[in-house]
Amino acid sequence: MGSASTAKKQLLAEGVFHLIGERIVTGELAPGDRIRDADVAQELAVSRTPVREALQRLERIGLVTMYPSRYTEISRLTPETIRMSHDFAGLQAGVIVRLSCSRLTTADYETLSPMIARIAASVDDPAACSQARREVIGYLAARSGNTLQQSLVDEASMALARALRGFAITPEHKPRLLDACVELDRALRDGDADAAEQACRVIYDVA
């Protein structure tokens, strides 16, 4: 009985974590906005325990700051946070591409090709381009065959998505990104892990 109850609480906390996290990523909850666990619990018709657990997890990845017995505040982004997030995202994306490259099926390629094309098509819209990259890497992470890598990506994905949402592609980077999208598509189809990882790093503009 205790085991079932614990599992239910963990499931609830996971749902609350993703719900609040997505509200932060989309800007529905802006930096400086306050959250009270009692209000969230009432809105979702759950106890305060899974809400607190979700908020603690969000604090660990830097999306919120908790003030015990008072309230929780949406954290503010700094230029340094954005830079670190960009570098981390690009390097991790390269690892994910390499891990998944040899495991992809023909059906996966057919799904991925238009997803990669959306990165190129949205190059002038920072939020849309960031979301397109996130979808491609999320799809590949689920096929990487590495549960540790998947867990790392899942834990950090929302913090990265918020930090990179407004990361504009510079005029100098744009043609390189467009070429890299074509190369990533080709490399994944050919099973060329080295070329796929390099193309992915160019898309994120990391060395």
Short mmCIF file of all heavy atoms in Angstrom, two decimals, residues 36-94:
data_model
loop_
_atom_site.label_atom_id
_atom_site.label_comp_id
_atom_site.label_asym_id
_atom_site.label_seq_id
_atom_site.Cartn_x
_atom_site.Cartn_y
_atom_site.Cartn_z
N ARG A 36 2.51 30.20 -5.27
CA ARG A 36 2.26 29.67 -3.93
C ARG A 36 1.79 28.23 -4.08
O ARG A 36 0.86 27.95 -4.84
CB ARG A 36 1.22 30.52 -3.19
CG ARG A 36 1.67 31.97 -2.98
CD ARG A 36 0.67 32.77 -2.15
NE ARG A 36 1.06 34.17 -2.08
CZ ARG A 36 1.98 34.66 -1.23
NH1 ARG A 36 2.59 33.85 -0.38
NH2 ARG A 36 2.28 35.95 -1.23
N ASP A 37 2.44 27.34 -3.33
CA ASP A 37 2.12 25.92 -3.51
C ASP A 37 0.66 25.62 -3.20
O ASP A 37 0.04 24.75 -3.83
CB ASP A 37 3.06 25.04 -2.68
CG ASP A 37 3.10 25.39 -1.21
OD1 ASP A 37 2.26 26.17 -0.75
OD2 ASP A 37 4.00 24.87 -0.51
N ALA A 38 0.08 26.36 -2.26
CA ALA A 38 -1.33 26.13 -1.92
C ALA A 38 -2.24 26.46 -3.10
O ALA A 38 -3.22 25.75 -3.36
CB ALA A 38 -1.72 26.96 -0.70
N ASP A 39 -1.91 27.54 -3.82
CA ASP A 39 -2.72 27.92 -4.98
C ASP A 39 -2.62 26.89 -6.10
O ASP A 39 -3.62 26.54 -6.73
CB ASP A 39 -2.26 29.29 -5.51
CG ASP A 39 -2.52 30.42 -4.53
OD1 ASP A 39 -3.35 30.23 -3.63
OD2 ASP A 39 -1.87 31.48 -4.67
N VAL A 40 -1.41 26.39 -6.33
CA VAL A 40 -1.23 25.37 -7.37
C VAL A 40 -1.95 24.09 -6.99
O VAL A 40 -2.61 23.45 -7.82
CB VAL A 40 0.27 25.09 -7.60
CG1 VAL A 40 0.45 23.96 -8.62
CG2 VAL A 40 0.99 26.34 -8.07
N ALA A 41 -1.83 23.70 -5.72
CA ALA A 41 -2.51 22.49 -5.25
C ALA A 41 -4.02 22.60 -5.43
O ALA A 41 -4.67 21.64 -5.87
CB ALA A 41 -2.16 22.24 -3.79
N GLN A 42 -4.56 23.76 -5.13
CA GLN A 42 -6.00 23.97 -5.29
C GLN A 42 -6.39 23.93 -6.76
O GLN A 42 -7.40 23.31 -7.14
CB GLN A 42 -6.41 25.30 -4.67
CG GLN A 42 -7.91 25.56 -4.74
CD GLN A 42 -8.30 26.86 -4.05
OE1 GLN A 42 -7.47 27.72 -3.80
NE2 GLN A 42 -9.58 27.00 -3.73
N GLU A 43 -5.61 24.56 -7.63
CA GLU A 43 -5.91 24.59 -9.06
C GLU A 43 -5.93 23.18 -9.65
O GLU A 43 -6.79 22.85 -10.47
CB GLU A 43 -4.85 25.42 -9.79
CG GLU A 43 -5.03 25.42 -11.31
CD GLU A 43 -3.83 25.98 -12.05
OE1 GLU A 43 -2.90 26.51 -11.40
OE2 GLU A 43 -3.81 25.88 -13.30
N LEU A 44 -4.98 22.35 -9.23
CA LEU A 44 -4.82 21.01 -9.81
C LEU A 44 -5.55 19.93 -9.01
O LEU A 44 -5.52 18.76 -9.40
CB LEU A 44 -3.34 20.66 -9.92
CG LEU A 44 -2.48 21.63 -10.74
CD1 LEU A 44 -1.03 21.18 -10.74
CD2 LEU A 44 -3.02 21.73 -12.17
N ALA A 45 -6.16 20.32 -7.90
CA ALA A 45 -6.89 19.37 -7.05
C ALA A 45 -5.98 18.24 -6.56
O ALA A 45 -6.30 17.06 -6.63
CB ALA A 45 -8.09 18.80 -7.78
N VAL A 46 -4.78 18.64 -6.08
CA VAL A 46 -3.85 17.68 -5.49
C VAL A 46 -3.41 18.23 -4.14
O VAL A 46 -3.71 19.38 -3.79
CB VAL A 46 -2.61 17.47 -6.40
CG1 VAL A 46 -3.04 16.91 -7.75
CG2 VAL A 46 -1.82 18.77 -6.57
N SER A 47 -2.69 17.40 -3.38
CA SER A 47 -2.17 17.87 -2.10
C SER A 47 -0.96 18.77 -2.35
O SER A 47 -0.42 18.83 -3.46
CB SER A 47 -1.77 16.69 -1.21
OG SER A 47 -0.59 16.08 -1.71
N ARG A 48 -0.50 19.43 -1.29
CA ARG A 48 0.64 20.33 -1.45
C ARG A 48 1.97 19.58 -1.57
O ARG A 48 2.95 20.13 -2.07
CB ARG A 48 0.68 21.30 -0.27
CG ARG A 48 -0.52 22.25 -0.26
CD ARG A 48 -0.59 23.08 1.00
NE ARG A 48 0.45 24.08 1.09
CZ ARG A 48 0.50 25.00 2.05
NH1 ARG A 48 -0.43 25.04 2.98
NH2 ARG A 48 1.48 25.89 2.07
N THR A 49 2.00 18.32 -1.15
CA THR A 49 3.26 17.56 -1.16
C THR A 49 3.84 17.40 -2.57
O THR A 49 5.01 17.74 -2.79
CB THR A 49 3.07 16.18 -0.51
OG1 THR A 49 2.66 16.36 0.85
CG2 THR A 49 4.36 15.38 -0.55
N PRO A 50 3.08 16.90 -3.56
CA PRO A 50 3.67 16.78 -4.90
C PRO A 50 4.00 18.14 -5.52
O PRO A 50 4.93 18.25 -6.33
CB PRO A 50 2.59 16.06 -5.72
CG PRO A 50 1.33 16.26 -4.96
CD PRO A 50 1.73 16.32 -3.52
N VAL A 51 3.28 19.19 -5.13
CA VAL A 51 3.58 20.53 -5.63
C VAL A 51 4.93 20.99 -5.09
O VAL A 51 5.77 21.51 -5.83
CB VAL A 51 2.48 21.53 -5.25
CG1 VAL A 51 2.86 22.94 -5.70
CG2 VAL A 51 1.14 21.13 -5.86
N ARG A 52 5.15 20.78 -3.79
CA ARG A 52 6.44 21.17 -3.20
C ARG A 52 7.58 20.39 -3.83
O ARG A 52 8.65 20.94 -4.10
CB ARG A 52 6.41 20.91 -1.68
CG ARG A 52 5.54 21.87 -0.89
CD ARG A 52 5.89 21.81 0.59
NE ARG A 52 4.88 22.47 1.40
CZ ARG A 52 3.93 21.84 2.08
NH1 ARG A 52 3.86 20.52 2.02
NH2 ARG A 52 3.05 22.51 2.80
N GLU A 53 7.36 19.09 -4.06
CA GLU A 53 8.41 18.26 -4.66
C GLU A 53 8.74 18.76 -6.07
O GLU A 53 9.91 18.81 -6.48
CB GLU A 53 7.96 16.81 -4.70
CG GLU A 53 7.90 16.16 -3.33
CD GLU A 53 7.34 14.75 -3.37
OE1 GLU A 53 6.97 14.28 -4.47
OE2 GLU A 53 7.27 14.11 -2.30
N ALA A 54 7.71 19.14 -6.83
CA ALA A 54 7.91 19.65 -8.19
C ALA A 54 8.66 20.98 -8.15
O ALA A 54 9.58 21.21 -8.95
CB ALA A 54 6.57 19.83 -8.88
N LEU A 55 8.31 21.85 -7.21
CA LEU A 55 8.98 23.15 -7.10
C LEU A 55 10.44 22.98 -6.69
O LEU A 55 11.32 23.71 -7.17
CB LEU A 55 8.23 24.04 -6.10
CG LEU A 55 6.84 24.51 -6.54
CD1 LEU A 55 6.15 25.27 -5.41
CD2 LEU A 55 6.92 25.38 -7.80
N GLN A 56 10.72 22.02 -5.81
CA GLN A 56 12.10 21.76 -5.41
C GLN A 56 12.93 21.29 -6.61
O GLN A 56 14.09 21.68 -6.77
CB GLN A 56 12.14 20.70 -4.30
CG GLN A 56 11.64 21.21 -2.96
CD GLN A 56 11.38 20.11 -1.97
OE1 GLN A 56 11.48 18.91 -2.28
NE2 GLN A 56 11.03 20.47 -0.74
N ARG A 57 12.32 20.49 -7.44
CA ARG A 57 13.01 20.01 -8.65
C ARG A 57 13.23 21.16 -9.63
O ARG A 57 14.30 21.27 -10.23
CB ARG A 57 12.17 18.91 -9.29
CG ARG A 57 12.86 18.18 -10.42
CD ARG A 57 12.00 17.04 -10.88
NE ARG A 57 12.44 16.51 -12.17
CZ ARG A 57 11.73 15.67 -12.90
NH1 ARG A 57 10.56 15.24 -12.47
NH2 ARG A 57 12.19 15.24 -14.06
N LEU A 58 12.25 22.03 -9.76
CA LEU A 58 12.40 23.20 -10.63
C LEU A 58 13.48 24.14 -10.12
O LEU A 58 14.19 24.78 -10.90
CB LEU A 58 11.06 23.94 -10.75
CG LEU A 58 9.99 23.22 -11.58
CD1 LEU A 58 8.62 23.83 -11.32
CD2 LEU A 58 10.32 23.27 -13.07
N GLU A 59 13.61 24.22 -8.80
CA GLU A 59 14.67 25.05 -8.23
C GLU A 59 16.04 24.47 -8.54
O GLU A 59 16.99 25.21 -8.82
CB GLU A 59 14.49 25.19 -6.71
CG GLU A 59 15.50 26.13 -6.07
CD GLU A 59 15.25 26.37 -4.61
OE1 GLU A 59 14.99 25.39 -3.88
OE2 GLU A 59 15.31 27.53 -4.17
N ARG A 60 16.15 23.15 -8.52
CA ARG A 60 17.45 22.50 -8.79
C ARG A 60 17.95 22.81 -10.20
O ARG A 60 19.15 22.86 -10.43
CB ARG A 60 17.35 20.99 -8.58
CG ARG A 60 17.32 20.56 -7.13
CD ARG A 60 17.66 19.09 -6.97
NE ARG A 60 16.73 18.21 -7.65
CZ ARG A 60 15.62 17.73 -7.11
NH1 ARG A 60 15.29 18.06 -5.87
NH2 ARG A 60 14.83 16.92 -7.78
N ILE A 61 17.03 22.99 -11.15
CA ILE A 61 17.47 23.29 -12.52
C ILE A 61 17.42 24.79 -12.82
O ILE A 61 17.58 25.21 -13.96
CB ILE A 61 16.65 22.51 -13.57
CG1 ILE A 61 15.16 22.89 -13.52
CG2 ILE A 61 16.84 21.02 -13.39
CD1 ILE A 61 14.35 22.26 -14.65
N GLY A 62 17.19 25.59 -11.78
CA GLY A 62 17.33 27.03 -11.91
C GLY A 62 16.14 27.80 -12.44
O GLY A 62 16.26 28.98 -12.76
N LEU A 63 14.97 27.16 -12.51
CA LEU A 63 13.79 27.86 -13.03
C LEU A 63 13.08 28.69 -11.97
O LEU A 63 12.38 29.65 -12.30
CB LEU A 63 12.81 26.88 -13.67
CG LEU A 63 13.25 26.25 -14.98
CD1 LEU A 63 12.16 25.34 -15.53
CD2 LEU A 63 13.60 27.31 -16.01
N VAL A 64 13.21 28.30 -10.71
CA VAL A 64 12.54 29.04 -9.64
C VAL A 64 13.49 29.20 -8.46
O VAL A 64 14.50 28.50 -8.35
CB VAL A 64 11.25 28.34 -9.16
CG1 VAL A 64 10.29 28.09 -10.31
CG2 VAL A 64 11.57 27.04 -8.43
N THR A 65 13.13 30.13 -7.57
CA THR A 65 13.81 30.29 -6.29
C THR A 65 12.75 30.16 -5.21
O THR A 65 11.73 30.86 -5.26
CB THR A 65 14.49 31.67 -6.18
OG1 THR A 65 15.43 31.80 -7.26
CG2 THR A 65 15.21 31.81 -4.86
N MET A 66 12.99 29.27 -4.25
CA MET A 66 12.01 29.04 -3.19
C MET A 66 12.38 29.82 -1.94
O MET A 66 13.54 29.85 -1.53
CB MET A 66 11.92 27.54 -2.89
CG MET A 66 11.46 26.69 -4.05
SD MET A 66 11.30 24.92 -3.63
CE MET A 66 9.82 24.97 -2.59
N TYR A 67 11.38 30.44 -1.34
CA TYR A 67 11.52 31.12 -0.06
C TYR A 67 10.62 30.39 0.93
O TYR A 67 9.40 30.62 0.93
CB TYR A 67 11.15 32.60 -0.18
CG TYR A 67 12.01 33.35 -1.16
CD1 TYR A 67 11.64 33.51 -2.50
CD2 TYR A 67 13.23 33.90 -0.74
CE1 TYR A 67 12.46 34.19 -3.39
CE2 TYR A 67 14.04 34.59 -1.64
CZ TYR A 67 13.65 34.73 -2.96
OH TYR A 67 14.46 35.40 -3.86
N PRO A 68 11.18 29.48 1.74
CA PRO A 68 10.39 28.61 2.61
C PRO A 68 9.37 29.37 3.45
O PRO A 68 9.66 30.45 3.99
CB PRO A 68 11.44 27.93 3.49
CG PRO A 68 12.67 27.94 2.64
CD PRO A 68 12.62 29.23 1.87
N SER A 69 8.17 28.78 3.51
CA SER A 69 7.05 29.33 4.29
C SER A 69 6.54 30.65 3.76
O SER A 69 5.73 31.32 4.41
CB SER A 69 7.43 29.49 5.78
OG SER A 69 7.85 28.25 6.30
N ARG A 70 7.01 31.07 2.57
CA ARG A 70 6.55 32.33 2.00
C ARG A 70 5.99 32.12 0.59
O ARG A 70 4.78 32.04 0.41
CB ARG A 70 7.68 33.36 1.99
CG ARG A 70 8.17 33.74 3.39
CD ARG A 70 9.43 34.57 3.34
NE ARG A 70 9.24 35.83 2.62
CZ ARG A 70 10.24 36.57 2.14
NH1 ARG A 70 11.49 36.16 2.28
NH2 ARG A 70 9.99 37.69 1.52
N TYR A 71 6.87 32.01 -0.39
CA TYR A 71 6.42 31.83 -1.77
C TYR A 71 7.60 31.34 -2.61
O TYR A 71 8.74 31.26 -2.14
CB TYR A 71 5.87 33.13 -2.34
CG TYR A 71 6.85 34.29 -2.29
CD1 TYR A 71 7.83 34.45 -3.28
CD2 TYR A 71 6.81 35.21 -1.25
CE1 TYR A 71 8.73 35.50 -3.22
CE2 TYR A 71 7.72 36.26 -1.18
CZ TYR A 71 8.67 36.40 -2.17
OH TYR A 71 9.58 37.42 -2.11
N THR A 72 7.30 31.03 -3.84
CA THR A 72 8.33 30.65 -4.81
C THR A 72 8.30 31.66 -5.94
O THR A 72 7.23 32.07 -6.38
CB THR A 72 8.05 29.23 -5.37
OG1 THR A 72 8.13 28.30 -4.29
CG2 THR A 72 9.06 28.85 -6.44
N GLU A 73 9.46 32.08 -6.39
CA GLU A 73 9.55 33.12 -7.42
C GLU A 73 10.22 32.56 -8.67
O GLU A 73 11.19 31.81 -8.59
CB GLU A 73 10.36 34.29 -6.87
CG GLU A 73 10.43 35.50 -7.80
CD GLU A 73 11.17 36.65 -7.15
OE1 GLU A 73 12.41 36.70 -7.26
OE2 GLU A 73 10.51 37.50 -6.52
N ILE A 74 9.69 32.95 -9.83
CA ILE A 74 10.31 32.55 -11.09
C ILE A 74 11.65 33.27 -11.21
O ILE A 74 11.72 34.49 -11.06
CB ILE A 74 9.42 32.91 -12.30
CG1 ILE A 74 7.99 32.37 -12.11
CG2 ILE A 74 10.04 32.37 -13.59
CD1 ILE A 74 7.91 30.90 -11.87
N SER A 75 12.71 32.51 -11.45
CA SER A 75 14.05 33.10 -11.49
C SER A 75 14.24 33.97 -12.73
O SER A 75 13.52 33.84 -13.72
CB SER A 75 15.12 32.00 -11.45
OG SER A 75 15.00 31.17 -12.59
N ARG A 76 15.25 34.81 -12.66
CA ARG A 76 15.55 35.71 -13.76
C ARG A 76 16.75 35.19 -14.55
O ARG A 76 17.69 34.65 -13.98
CB ARG A 76 15.84 37.12 -13.22
CG ARG A 76 14.66 37.70 -12.43
CD ARG A 76 14.98 39.06 -11.86
NE ARG A 76 13.93 39.48 -10.93
CZ ARG A 76 12.79 40.05 -11.30
NH1 ARG A 76 12.56 40.28 -12.59
NH2 ARG A 76 11.88 40.40 -10.40
N LEU A 77 16.69 35.37 -15.86
CA LEU A 77 17.78 34.96 -16.72
C LEU A 77 18.86 36.03 -16.75
O LEU A 77 18.57 37.22 -16.74
CB LEU A 77 17.27 34.72 -18.14
CG LEU A 77 16.52 33.42 -18.41
CD1 LEU A 77 15.91 33.46 -19.81
CD2 LEU A 77 17.44 32.22 -18.27
N THR A 78 20.10 35.59 -16.80
CA THR A 78 21.23 36.51 -16.95
C THR A 78 21.96 36.16 -18.25
O THR A 78 21.84 35.04 -18.75
CB THR A 78 22.21 36.38 -15.78
OG1 THR A 78 22.81 35.07 -15.82
CG2 THR A 78 21.50 36.57 -14.45
N PRO A 79 22.73 37.10 -18.80
CA PRO A 79 23.51 36.78 -20.01
C PRO A 79 24.43 35.58 -19.81
O PRO A 79 24.62 34.77 -20.71
CB PRO A 79 24.32 38.07 -20.24
CG PRO A 79 23.47 39.14 -19.64
CD PRO A 79 22.84 38.52 -18.43
N GLU A 80 24.97 35.44 -18.60
CA GLU A 80 25.85 34.31 -18.31
C GLU A 80 25.08 32.99 -18.34
O GLU A 80 25.56 31.97 -18.86
CB GLU A 80 26.51 34.50 -16.95
CG GLU A 80 27.45 33.39 -16.52
CD GLU A 80 28.69 33.28 -17.40
OE1 GLU A 80 28.92 34.16 -18.25
OE2 GLU A 80 29.43 32.29 -17.23
N THR A 81 23.86 32.99 -17.78
CA THR A 81 23.03 31.79 -17.80
C THR A 81 22.71 31.38 -19.23
O THR A 81 22.77 30.20 -19.59
CB THR A 81 21.72 32.04 -17.04
OG1 THR A 81 22.02 32.36 -15.69
CG2 THR A 81 20.82 30.80 -17.07
N ILE A 82 22.38 32.36 -20.07
CA ILE A 82 22.06 32.08 -21.47
C ILE A 82 23.26 31.51 -22.20
O ILE A 82 23.16 30.53 -22.93
CB ILE A 82 21.56 33.37 -22.17
CG1 ILE A 82 20.22 33.80 -21.55
CG2 ILE A 82 21.41 33.14 -23.67
CD1 ILE A 82 19.74 35.16 -22.02
N ARG A 83 24.44 32.08 -21.96
CA ARG A 83 25.66 31.60 -22.63
C ARG A 83 25.97 30.16 -22.21
O ARG A 83 26.26 29.29 -23.05
CB ARG A 83 26.85 32.50 -22.29
CG ARG A 83 28.13 32.14 -23.04
CD ARG A 83 29.35 32.82 -22.46
NE ARG A 83 29.61 32.40 -21.09
CZ ARG A 83 30.16 31.22 -20.76
NH1 ARG A 83 30.47 30.34 -21.71
NH2 ARG A 83 30.37 30.91 -19.50
N MET A 84 25.93 29.90 -20.89
CA MET A 84 26.22 28.55 -20.41
C MET A 84 25.20 27.54 -20.93
O MET A 84 25.56 26.42 -21.29
CB MET A 84 26.25 28.54 -18.88
CG MET A 84 27.45 29.24 -18.27
SD MET A 84 27.62 28.93 -16.48
CE MET A 84 26.05 29.59 -15.87
N SER A 85 23.95 27.94 -20.97
CA SER A 85 22.89 27.05 -21.45
C SER A 85 23.10 26.72 -22.92
O SER A 85 22.92 25.58 -23.35
CB SER A 85 21.52 27.71 -21.26
OG SER A 85 21.24 27.92 -19.90
N HIS A 86 23.49 27.73 -23.69
CA HIS A 86 23.72 27.54 -25.12
C HIS A 86 24.86 26.55 -25.36
O HIS A 86 24.74 25.61 -26.17
CB HIS A 86 24.02 28.87 -25.79
CG HIS A 86 24.19 28.77 -27.27
ND1 HIS A 86 25.42 28.66 -27.86
CD2 HIS A 86 23.28 28.73 -28.27
CE1 HIS A 86 25.27 28.56 -29.16
NE2 HIS A 86 23.98 28.60 -29.45
N ASP A 87 25.97 26.73 -24.65
CA ASP A 87 27.11 25.83 -24.80
C ASP A 87 26.74 24.41 -24.38
O ASP A 87 27.08 23.44 -25.07
CB ASP A 87 28.30 26.32 -23.98
CG ASP A 87 28.92 27.60 -24.54
OD1 ASP A 87 28.57 27.97 -25.69
OD2 ASP A 87 29.72 28.24 -23.84
N PHE A 88 26.08 24.28 -23.25
CA PHE A 88 25.69 22.96 -22.74
C PHE A 88 24.75 22.26 -23.71
O PHE A 88 24.92 21.08 -24.03
CB PHE A 88 25.00 23.12 -21.38
CG PHE A 88 24.55 21.82 -20.77
CD1 PHE A 88 25.42 21.02 -20.04
CD2 PHE A 88 23.23 21.39 -20.93
CE1 PHE A 88 24.99 19.83 -19.50
CE2 PHE A 88 22.80 20.20 -20.38
CZ PHE A 88 23.68 19.41 -19.65
N ALA A 89 23.75 23.01 -24.20
CA ALA A 89 22.77 22.43 -25.12
C ALA A 89 23.44 21.93 -26.40
O ALA A 89 23.15 20.82 -26.87
CB ALA A 89 21.70 23.45 -25.47
N GLY A 90 24.36 22.73 -26.94
CA GLY A 90 25.03 22.33 -28.18
C GLY A 90 25.90 21.11 -28.01
O GLY A 90 25.89 20.20 -28.84
N LEU A 91 26.65 21.06 -26.91
CA LEU A 91 27.53 19.91 -26.68
C LEU A 91 26.73 18.64 -26.41
O LEU A 91 27.05 17.56 -26.91
CB LEU A 91 28.47 20.22 -25.51
CG LEU A 91 29.50 21.33 -25.79
CD1 LEU A 91 30.23 21.71 -24.51
CD2 LEU A 91 30.49 20.90 -26.86
N GLN A 92 25.66 18.76 -25.61
CA GLN A 92 24.82 17.60 -25.32
C GLN A 92 24.09 17.12 -26.57
O GLN A 92 23.92 15.92 -26.79
CB GLN A 92 23.82 17.92 -24.21
CG GLN A 92 24.43 18.05 -22.84
CD GLN A 92 25.14 16.79 -22.40
OE1 GLN A 92 24.61 15.69 -22.51
NE2 GLN A 92 26.37 16.93 -21.92
N ALA A 93 23.65 18.06 -27.39
CA ALA A 93 22.97 17.69 -28.64
C ALA A 93 23.90 16.87 -29.52
O ALA A 93 23.48 15.88 -30.15
CB ALA A 93 22.50 18.94 -29.37
N GLY A 94 25.17 17.26 -29.58
CA GLY A 94 26.13 16.51 -30.37
C GLY A 94 26.30 15.09 -29.87
O GLY A 94 26.38 14.13 -30.66
#
